[in-house]
Amino acid sequence: MKYNQNFKIMQITDKTLVIGVDIAKKIHYARAFDWRGIELDRTISFKANSTGFSEFMEWAKKTAEKNGK
């Protein structure tokens, strides 16, 4: 199925947690927003390895839960 941009945008609701991740060689940074672009939590940094990814996932889950996403 081919998704166009409007279809993708329509999938974002007030229950959607949007996370932006800046990928780098050693350290990544992530920010969480609601569907309107309002920042929901502090920016985090995490190492580019499996431990860092686990920390990122835990942060994302806590942020989603805390904000009802």
Side-chain angles (χ1 to χ4, degrees):
M1 176 182 283
K2 184 176 180 182
Y3 297 105
N4 62 31
Q5 184 173 351
N6 289 339
F7 180 79
K8 292 176 185 177
I9 291 170
M10 295 300 293
Q11 292 178 335
I12 300 172
T13 69
D14 60 339
K15 295 291 183 188
T16 303
L17 177 65
V18 179
I19 297 178
V21 181
D22 180 14
I23 303 297
K25 187 173 184 178
K26 294 183 180 181
I27 302 289
H28 305 319
Y29 294 88
R31 295 174 68 187
F33 303 91
D34 71 0
W35 65 283
R36 296 173 294 172
I38 297 173
E39 192 167 10
L40 298 176
D41 205 345
R42 61 181 172 75
T43 300
I44 66 155
S45 63
F46 56 99
K47 292 184 178 180
N49 58 28
S50 60
T51 302
F53 183 73
S54 294
E55 292 170 0
F56 163 71
M57 289 300 298
E58 186 65 29
W59 169 82
K61 289 175 187 177
K62 286 180 182 178
T63 301
E65 184 177 304
K66 182 171 63 174
N67 292 284
K69 307 293 180 193

